[in-house]
Amino acid sequence: MKKIKDIEIELRNIKKGYGSQSVLNGVSLRIDNTSFISICGKSGSGKSTLMNILGLIEGYDAGEYLFNQQKIEPGKDYYLLRRNYIGFIYQSYNLIPEKTCYENIILPAMYAGMKQAEIDTYISSIVDRLEISHLLEKGTFALSGGEKQRVAIARSLILNPSLIVADEPTGNLDTHNRDAVMEILLHEHRNGRGIVLITHDEAVADYADEKIYLKDGKLSIC
Amino acid sequence: MLKEALSQIWNHRKTYLLLSITVLLTFTAIGVYMILDDSIIFNKYKHIMHESHYISTAGFDRSDEAKERLLKNKIEQMSDTHYYCTEQIQGISLYDHQFEDARINLEVQVIPNHIWAYYWSLGERAEMLDGEKSFSVGENEIIICKTLSDIMDQVGEKDYLDVAGKRLKVTGVMKDWSDTSAVMHDDGIDYCYVNAFVSEKTFRDWEKNNRTMIIYSPHQQEIEAYTRDLGLRYSSVYDEKEEMKKEIIRAIDSKMVITIMLILILGINMVGCYMNSLAKRKYEIAVKRALGASKMQIIKQFLLESLIVFLSDILLAFAISMAILGGVKIFYVWVMHDTWVIHITAYSLLIYAISASFMAVYLSCLFSILSTKVEVIQYIKAE
């Protein structure tokens, strides 16, 4: 297995709003491969906005974002950093319904130009670990919530990311599947990946080394 | 990328099918119009398409005998020059009660002294049954076509044929020309149009109607000047080819106008189809972008999808156009008993190719560029 690349993210006094509504009001945060942070907060508190900014999907209005000491400009598209360093897991899985599980998992690898032999080697180790080998040829519509989330996790791991950003990854799952997914994330963290977990479930947040609460657009340590 | 594009075409086949039908209908209509128009012009002039510029015709009325003699004298002095005359004779008699009421139209080709004969309106050379293209015919002799020979066999006449009061000896049988036709049944003939060759001496006693002289000569300008000086009707392969070119050029304007109108209508429809397709695929685009696909990769994928569908449709539309014209050809051959050639000029092909390429590239680029105007966070489903 390839070595996981080092990552160091620093948010300094990040502000973000939509129109006149301020969502993030001076958020500062430091994340690296050793981080396992859970960000809690009520619905509408800006957790997903923070995750999108962290994941380089969305820009910010003010503040400073350093990614491996490189300053991130708000309007630019950092798809290469996103592709090479960050894996995303969503509450609603965000799988493409027309594709099979295999096609969904390899999608980031395809855009990264990974060779088929390399994909095949890497994918087998991931799907074995997540126990979804038997699902590869199936369409995603036939899967249970837990299975879909495992497929989404496999997809997030295919490019060997340094950081996994998970937005309510267990929100649609039962207790058994919730624990299974969290065990997988914990395992990946032990392998050297940073984890940022967004959740409002205290039991899930407890898996993290550090729990942060987002309220009124600001972070506070629980 | 190609695999992904093909896979997405299959996944979104309903949308692409709707789009394909629009493209197919438009480009089939353009194709049929262009090929039909070109084929009509080509078939009008097909007899001269592959013919030498050395061929021309001079037409004489009943009163032009003196002028005819003058022209013949002039032509006979020219090097490498051949001619013959052609005229329709209806006074053919076959002595058999079965054919008493038969109407036999005989077109006689009057050969002056030698062997060259070319059927003007069909672009065919005369040829004997054994393939020989050189032949001559003496006074009171006649060379008949295969169909007339068959009719004579039926009535028991073999060696002699009575034409306009003259008994002529049949000295040869030539292959039918493509306009030779006879509708026969056991009781007689419904209609008959046959050809034969006689000599100038045989022909001179017959009543002259409208004669046409067909001339093969490298001295066309000289013949044209002399013919026009004599006040005779004149036309040449060269003139007809020029007229055909003018007709083709005239047709280009209307082709361009119709093509532009059709592709404008297609363009409006296509933009609607593409916008509809993009609206359905914003989620897919957003997920791919979130997973690390660059804008250029998304553009490439949508461009490839659109080009594959568009170009396949255009090729298919051209094939369907050809098939429809094939049907027209079959109608001509089987129902009208006529030959008809499917033809497309380089001009039409160019207009078709340019309009197809423009639409394919322009609309595909538009589609692919619009595909990146997706706000990723709007379509990534969160809590």
Side-chain angles (χ1 to χ4, degrees), chain A residues 177-210:
Chain A
N177 276 309
R178 180 194 70 186
D179 292 343
V181 165
M182 288 316 299
E183 284 303 326
I184 293 165
L185 290 180
L186 202 55
H187 178 80
E188 293 305 325
H189 176 56
R190 286 180 193 135
N191 280 344
R193 300 184 213 281
I195 310 276
V196 175
L197 182 66
I198 286 168
T199 184
H200 59 262
D201 183 341
E202 285 295 326
V204 170
D206 286 343
Y207 278 88
D209 299 334
E210 195 178 353

mmCIF file of all heavy atoms in Angstrom, chain A residues 177-210:
data_model
loop_
_atom_site.group_PDB
_atom_site.id
_atom_site.type_symbol
_atom_site.label_atom_id
_atom_site.label_comp_id
_atom_site.label_asym_id
_atom_site.label_seq_id
_atom_site.Cartn_x
_atom_site.Cartn_y
_atom_site.Cartn_z
ATOM 1 N N ASN A 177 -25.020 -0.447 11.858
ATOM 2 C CA ASN A 177 -24.249 0.083 10.734
ATOM 3 C C ASN A 177 -23.464 1.331 11.140
ATOM 4 O O ASN A 177 -22.365 1.566 10.629
ATOM 5 C CB ASN A 177 -25.184 0.398 9.559
ATOM 6 C CG ASN A 177 -25.470 -0.837 8.723
ATOM 7 O OD1 ASN A 177 -24.556 -1.539 8.305
ATOM 8 N ND2 ASN A 177 -26.744 -1.134 8.535
ATOM 9 N N ARG A 178 -24.067 2.125 12.034
ATOM 10 C CA ARG A 178 -23.368 3.324 12.516
ATOM 11 C C ARG A 178 -22.037 2.925 13.143
ATOM 12 O O ARG A 178 -20.987 3.480 12.823
ATOM 13 C CB ARG A 178 -24.243 4.047 13.540
ATOM 14 C CG ARG A 178 -23.622 5.303 14.094
ATOM 15 C CD ARG A 178 -24.356 5.771 15.333
ATOM 16 N NE ARG A 178 -24.112 4.838 16.445
ATOM 17 C CZ ARG A 178 -24.719 4.914 17.631
ATOM 18 N NH1 ARG A 178 -25.640 5.823 17.853
ATOM 19 N NH2 ARG A 178 -24.433 4.047 18.593
ATOM 20 N N ASP A 179 -22.089 1.919 14.032
ATOM 21 C CA ASP A 179 -20.868 1.491 14.713
ATOM 22 C C ASP A 179 -19.856 0.922 13.715
ATOM 23 O O ASP A 179 -18.651 1.161 13.831
ATOM 24 C CB ASP A 179 -21.209 0.448 15.793
ATOM 25 C CG ASP A 179 -22.012 1.097 16.931
ATOM 26 O OD1 ASP A 179 -21.994 2.347 17.016
ATOM 27 O OD2 ASP A 179 -22.664 0.350 17.686
ATOM 28 N N ALA A 180 -20.378 0.172 12.747
ATOM 29 C CA ALA A 180 -19.479 -0.430 11.742
ATOM 30 C C ALA A 180 -18.740 0.654 10.960
ATOM 31 O O ALA A 180 -17.520 0.577 10.762
ATOM 32 C CB ALA A 180 -20.282 -1.327 10.812
ATOM 33 N N VAL A 181 -19.511 1.674 10.519
ATOM 34 C CA VAL A 181 -18.905 2.769 9.745
ATOM 35 C C VAL A 181 -17.873 3.504 10.597
ATOM 36 O O VAL A 181 -16.770 3.832 10.142
ATOM 37 C CB VAL A 181 -20.001 3.731 9.222
ATOM 38 C CG1 VAL A 181 -19.402 5.056 8.752
ATOM 39 C CG2 VAL A 181 -20.778 3.083 8.082
ATOM 40 N N MET A 182 -18.200 3.748 11.863
ATOM 41 C CA MET A 182 -17.272 4.477 12.725
ATOM 42 C C MET A 182 -16.002 3.661 12.980
ATOM 43 O O MET A 182 -14.900 4.219 13.082
ATOM 44 C CB MET A 182 -17.952 4.861 14.040
ATOM 45 C CG MET A 182 -18.986 5.972 13.892
ATOM 46 S SD MET A 182 -18.476 7.351 12.843
ATOM 47 C CE MET A 182 -17.066 7.949 13.724
ATOM 48 N N GLU A 183 -16.167 2.338 13.061
ATOM 49 C CA GLU A 183 -14.983 1.480 13.237
ATOM 50 C C GLU A 183 -14.067 1.582 12.019
ATOM 51 O O GLU A 183 -12.846 1.591 12.139
ATOM 52 C CB GLU A 183 -15.412 0.015 13.463
ATOM 53 C CG GLU A 183 -15.953 -0.289 14.868
ATOM 54 C CD GLU A 183 -14.948 0.055 15.988
ATOM 55 O OE1 GLU A 183 -13.725 -0.092 15.771
ATOM 56 O OE2 GLU A 183 -15.400 0.517 17.062
ATOM 57 N N ILE A 184 -14.700 1.643 10.850
ATOM 58 C CA ILE A 184 -13.905 1.782 9.613
ATOM 59 C C ILE A 184 -13.131 3.108 9.637
ATOM 60 O O ILE A 184 -11.932 3.146 9.347
ATOM 61 C CB ILE A 184 -14.823 1.724 8.364
ATOM 62 C CG1 ILE A 184 -15.427 0.334 8.205
ATOM 63 C CG2 ILE A 184 -14.060 2.102 7.100
ATOM 64 C CD1 ILE A 184 -16.605 0.275 7.250
ATOM 65 N N LEU A 185 -13.823 4.175 10.016
ATOM 66 C CA LEU A 185 -13.165 5.486 10.052
ATOM 67 C C LEU A 185 -12.032 5.506 11.085
ATOM 68 O O LEU A 185 -10.959 6.058 10.835
ATOM 69 C CB LEU A 185 -14.182 6.594 10.362
ATOM 70 C CG LEU A 185 -15.187 6.906 9.242
ATOM 71 C CD1 LEU A 185 -16.141 8.016 9.678
ATOM 72 C CD2 LEU A 185 -14.484 7.316 7.964
ATOM 73 N N LEU A 186 -12.306 4.871 12.206
ATOM 74 C CA LEU A 186 -11.282 4.796 13.259
ATOM 75 C C LEU A 186 -10.049 4.045 12.750
ATOM 76 O O LEU A 186 -8.904 4.449 12.971
ATOM 77 C CB LEU A 186 -11.885 4.080 14.481
ATOM 78 C CG LEU A 186 -11.251 4.325 15.835
ATOM 79 C CD1 LEU A 186 -11.199 5.808 16.173
ATOM 80 C CD2 LEU A 186 -12.024 3.582 16.933
ATOM 81 N N HIS A 187 -10.328 2.951 12.015
ATOM 82 C CA HIS A 187 -9.248 2.149 11.430
ATOM 83 C C HIS A 187 -8.417 2.989 10.455
ATOM 84 O O HIS A 187 -7.185 2.952 10.472
ATOM 85 C CB HIS A 187 -9.861 0.938 10.723
ATOM 86 C CG HIS A 187 -8.850 0.070 10.043
ATOM 87 N ND1 HIS A 187 -8.086 -0.853 10.720
ATOM 88 C CD2 HIS A 187 -8.459 0.019 8.746
ATOM 89 C CE1 HIS A 187 -7.265 -1.436 9.859
ATOM 90 N NE2 HIS A 187 -7.485 -0.935 8.656
ATOM 91 N N GLU A 188 -9.130 3.759 9.634
ATOM 92 C CA GLU A 188 -8.426 4.605 8.658
ATOM 93 C C GLU A 188 -7.606 5.683 9.367
ATOM 94 O O GLU A 188 -6.522 6.043 8.914
ATOM 95 C CB GLU A 188 -9.418 5.238 7.681
ATOM 96 C CG GLU A 188 -10.105 4.261 6.747
ATOM 97 C CD GLU A 188 -9.115 3.412 5.956
ATOM 98 O OE1 GLU A 188 -8.028 3.913 5.591
ATOM 99 O OE2 GLU A 188 -9.425 2.220 5.724
ATOM 100 N N HIS A 189 -8.138 6.181 10.461
ATOM 101 C CA HIS A 189 -7.393 7.184 11.231
ATOM 102 C C HIS A 189 -6.106 6.572 11.781
ATOM 103 O O HIS A 189 -5.036 7.195 11.742
ATOM 104 C CB HIS A 189 -8.276 7.720 12.362
ATOM 105 C CG HIS A 189 -7.553 8.678 13.261
ATOM 106 N ND1 HIS A 189 -6.928 9.815 12.783
ATOM 107 C CD2 HIS A 189 -7.309 8.656 14.605
ATOM 108 C CE1 HIS A 189 -6.356 10.448 13.776
ATOM 109 N NE2 HIS A 189 -6.569 9.764 14.899
ATOM 110 N N ARG A 190 -6.232 5.333 12.273
ATOM 111 C CA ARG A 190 -5.031 4.657 12.810
ATOM 112 C C ARG A 190 -4.003 4.412 11.706
ATOM 113 O O ARG A 190 -2.813 4.310 11.967
ATOM 114 C CB ARG A 190 -5.435 3.334 13.475
ATOM 115 C CG ARG A 190 -6.116 3.564 14.815
ATOM 116 C CD ARG A 190 -6.514 2.257 15.457
ATOM 117 N NE ARG A 190 -7.429 2.504 16.561
ATOM 118 C CZ ARG A 190 -8.533 1.815 16.783
ATOM 119 N NH1 ARG A 190 -8.893 0.825 15.965
ATOM 120 N NH2 ARG A 190 -9.279 2.099 17.825
ATOM 121 N N ASN A 191 -4.513 4.279 10.474
ATOM 122 C CA ASN A 191 -3.594 4.090 9.333
ATOM 123 C C ASN A 191 -2.846 5.371 8.971
ATOM 124 O O ASN A 191 -1.980 5.361 8.108
ATOM 125 C CB ASN A 191 -4.372 3.632 8.096
ATOM 126 C CG ASN A 191 -4.671 2.148 8.142
ATOM 127 O OD1 ASN A 191 -4.059 1.411 8.932
ATOM 128 N ND2 ASN A 191 -5.620 1.705 7.334
ATOM 129 N N GLY A 192 -3.271 6.497 9.540
ATOM 130 C CA GLY A 192 -2.542 7.744 9.284
ATOM 131 C C GLY A 192 -3.329 8.794 8.531
ATOM 132 O O GLY A 192 -2.741 9.725 7.979
ATOM 133 N N ARG A 193 -4.631 8.639 8.482
ATOM 134 C CA ARG A 193 -5.448 9.658 7.798
ATOM 135 C C ARG A 193 -6.101 10.565 8.840
ATOM 136 O O ARG A 193 -6.616 10.083 9.855
ATOM 137 C CB ARG A 193 -6.562 9.015 6.979
ATOM 138 C CG ARG A 193 -6.076 8.089 5.900
ATOM 139 C CD ARG A 193 -7.244 7.561 5.066
ATOM 140 N NE ARG A 193 -6.962 6.191 4.623
ATOM 141 C CZ ARG A 193 -6.169 5.882 3.605
ATOM 142 N NH1 ARG A 193 -5.556 6.832 2.943
ATOM 143 N NH2 ARG A 193 -5.963 4.620 3.276
ATOM 144 N N GLY A 194 -6.107 11.853 8.552
ATOM 145 C CA GLY A 194 -6.848 12.768 9.395
ATOM 146 C C GLY A 194 -8.331 12.596 9.123
ATOM 147 O O GLY A 194 -8.723 12.285 7.993
ATOM 148 N N ILE A 195 -9.152 12.771 10.153
ATOM 149 C CA ILE A 195 -10.611 12.639 9.963
ATOM 150 C C ILE A 195 -11.284 13.890 10.518
ATOM 151 O O ILE A 195 -11.020 14.302 11.650
ATOM 152 C CB ILE A 195 -11.188 11.415 10.728
ATOM 153 C CG1 ILE A 195 -10.408 10.125 10.453
ATOM 154 C CG2 ILE A 195 -12.691 11.256 10.452
ATOM 155 C CD1 ILE A 195 -10.762 9.367 9.224
ATOM 156 N N VAL A 196 -12.154 14.464 9.694
ATOM 157 C CA VAL A 196 -13.017 15.540 10.193
ATOM 158 C C VAL A 196 -14.440 15.026 10.042
ATOM 159 O O VAL A 196 -14.890 14.719 8.944
ATOM 160 C CB VAL A 196 -12.828 16.846 9.399
ATOM 161 C CG1 VAL A 196 -13.824 17.897 9.868
ATOM 162 C CG2 VAL A 196 -11.423 17.364 9.550
ATOM 163 N N LEU A 197 -15.102 14.927 11.186
ATOM 164 C CA LEU A 197 -16.421 14.297 11.213
ATOM 165 C C LEU A 197 -17.457 15.341 11.604
ATOM 166 O O LEU A 197 -17.316 15.999 12.631
ATOM 167 C CB LEU A 197 -16.358 13.188 12.272
ATOM 168 C CG LEU A 197 -17.560 12.316 12.502
ATOM 169 C CD1 LEU A 197 -17.841 11.475 11.281
ATOM 170 C CD2 LEU A 197 -17.290 11.405 13.698
ATOM 171 N N ILE A 198 -18.443 15.506 10.782
ATOM 172 C CA ILE A 198 -19.490 16.465 11.117
ATOM 173 C C ILE A 198 -20.716 15.683 11.545
ATOM 174 O O ILE A 198 -21.183 14.799 10.815
ATOM 175 C CB ILE A 198 -19.774 17.371 9.911
ATOM 176 C CG1 ILE A 198 -18.608 18.357 9.799
ATOM 177 C CG2 ILE A 198 -21.084 18.111 10.056
ATOM 178 C CD1 ILE A 198 -18.549 19.129 8.549
ATOM 179 N N THR A 199 -21.200 15.928 12.710
ATOM 180 C CA THR A 199 -22.305 15.132 13.231
ATOM 181 C C THR A 199 -23.069 15.884 14.305
ATOM 182 O O THR A 199 -22.558 16.837 14.889
ATOM 183 C CB THR A 199 -21.777 13.793 13.806
ATOM 184 O OG1 THR A 199 -22.866 12.991 14.230
ATOM 185 C CG2 THR A 199 -20.822 14.013 14.986
ATOM 186 N N HIS A 200 -24.289 15.474 14.517
ATOM 187 C CA HIS A 200 -24.991 16.008 15.681
ATOM 188 C C HIS A 200 -25.290 14.862 16.661
ATOM 189 O O HIS A 200 -26.001 15.032 17.635
ATOM 190 C CB HIS A 200 -26.267 16.753 15.270
ATOM 191 C CG HIS A 200 -27.233 15.910 14.515
ATOM 192 N ND1 HIS A 200 -27.302 15.950 13.142
ATOM 193 C CD2 HIS A 200 -28.135 15.003 14.926
ATOM 194 C CE1 HIS A 200 -28.239 15.093 12.744
ATOM 195 N NE2 HIS A 200 -28.750 14.502 13.808
ATOM 196 N N ASP A 201 -24.726 13.680 16.348
ATOM 197 C CA ASP A 201 -24.931 12.482 17.186
ATOM 198 C C ASP A 201 -23.770 12.398 18.187
ATOM 199 O O ASP A 201 -22.615 12.191 17.796
ATOM 200 C CB ASP A 201 -24.973 11.261 16.251
ATOM 201 C CG ASP A 201 -25.265 9.972 17.009
ATOM 202 O OD1 ASP A 201 -25.074 9.958 18.253
ATOM 203 O OD2 ASP A 201 -25.658 8.987 16.357
ATOM 204 N N GLU A 202 -24.072 12.551 19.446
ATOM 205 C CA GLU A 202 -23.043 12.562 20.489
ATOM 206 C C GLU A 202 -22.245 11.261 20.506
ATOM 207 O O GLU A 202 -21.028 11.259 20.682
ATOM 208 C CB GLU A 202 -23.685 12.798 21.867
ATOM 209 C CG GLU A 202 -24.114 14.240 22.096
ATOM 210 C CD GLU A 202 -22.931 15.205 22.125
ATOM 211 O OE1 GLU A 202 -21.838 14.833 22.598
ATOM 212 O OE2 GLU A 202 -23.091 16.344 21.631
ATOM 213 N N ALA A 203 -22.976 10.127 20.300
ATOM 214 C CA ALA A 203 -22.314 8.817 20.331
ATOM 215 C C ALA A 203 -21.264 8.718 19.222
ATOM 216 O O ALA A 203 -20.192 8.133 19.410
ATOM 217 C CB ALA A 203 -23.351 7.713 20.173
ATOM 218 N N VAL A 204 -21.581 9.297 18.083
ATOM 219 C CA VAL A 204 -20.638 9.290 16.956
ATOM 220 C C VAL A 204 -19.479 10.242 17.256
ATOM 221 O O VAL A 204 -18.308 9.906 17.043
ATOM 222 C CB VAL A 204 -21.367 9.686 15.646
ATOM 223 C CG1 VAL A 204 -20.378 9.935 14.520
ATOM 224 C CG2 VAL A 204 -22.350 8.606 15.241
ATOM 225 N N ALA A 205 -19.831 11.406 17.797
ATOM 226 C CA ALA A 205 -18.804 12.409 18.094
ATOM 227 C C ALA A 205 -17.791 11.873 19.106
ATOM 228 O O ALA A 205 -16.610 12.259 19.072
ATOM 229 C CB ALA A 205 -19.466 13.678 18.614
ATOM 230 N N ASP A 206 -18.237 10.945 19.955
ATOM 231 C CA ASP A 206 -17.358 10.397 20.982
ATOM 232 C C ASP A 206 -16.193 9.582 20.401
ATOM 233 O O ASP A 206 -15.203 9.330 21.082
ATOM 234 C CB ASP A 206 -18.157 9.509 21.951
ATOM 235 C CG ASP A 206 -19.009 10.366 22.891
ATOM 236 O OD1 ASP A 206 -18.713 11.580 22.990
ATOM 237 O OD2 ASP A 206 -19.969 9.840 23.476
ATOM 238 N N TYR A 207 -16.330 9.116 19.171
ATOM 239 C CA TYR A 207 -15.233 8.369 18.546
ATOM 240 C C TYR A 207 -14.012 9.271 18.304
ATOM 241 O O TYR A 207 -12.902 8.807 18.176
ATOM 242 C CB TYR A 207 -15.677 7.794 17.191
ATOM 243 C CG TYR A 207 -16.455 6.499 17.299
ATOM 244 C CD1 TYR A 207 -17.828 6.503 17.466
ATOM 245 C CD2 TYR A 207 -15.798 5.273 17.221
ATOM 246 C CE1 TYR A 207 -18.548 5.322 17.548
ATOM 247 C CE2 TYR A 207 -16.515 4.083 17.308
ATOM 248 C CZ TYR A 207 -17.892 4.104 17.474
ATOM 249 O OH TYR A 207 -18.579 2.934 17.554
ATOM 250 N N ALA A 208 -14.263 10.578 18.168
ATOM 251 C CA ALA A 208 -13.184 11.508 17.821
ATOM 252 C C ALA A 208 -12.284 11.804 19.014
ATOM 253 O O ALA A 208 -12.682 11.656 20.164
ATOM 254 C CB ALA A 208 -13.794 12.806 17.303
ATOM 255 N N ASP A 209 -11.048 12.205 18.702
ATOM 256 C CA ASP A 209 -10.114 12.585 19.755
ATOM 257 C C ASP A 209 -10.483 13.967 20.302
ATOM 258 O O ASP A 209 -10.196 14.289 21.444
ATOM 259 C CB ASP A 209 -8.684 12.651 19.199
ATOM 260 C CG ASP A 209 -8.238 11.302 18.665
ATOM 261 O OD1 ASP A 209 -8.762 10.278 19.147
ATOM 262 O OD2 ASP A 209 -7.397 11.278 17.737
ATOM 263 N N GLU A 210 -11.099 14.771 19.430
ATOM 264 C CA GLU A 210 -11.385 16.147 19.810
ATOM 265 C C GLU A 210 -12.789 16.512 19.333
ATOM 266 O O GLU A 210 -13.109 16.294 18.161
ATOM 267 C CB GLU A 210 -10.352 17.051 19.115
ATOM 268 C CG GLU A 210 -10.266 18.430 19.663
ATOM 269 C CD GLU A 210 -9.167 19.232 18.936
ATOM 270 O OE1 GLU A 210 -8.418 18.630 18.124
ATOM 271 O OE2 GLU A 210 -9.089 20.433 19.160
#
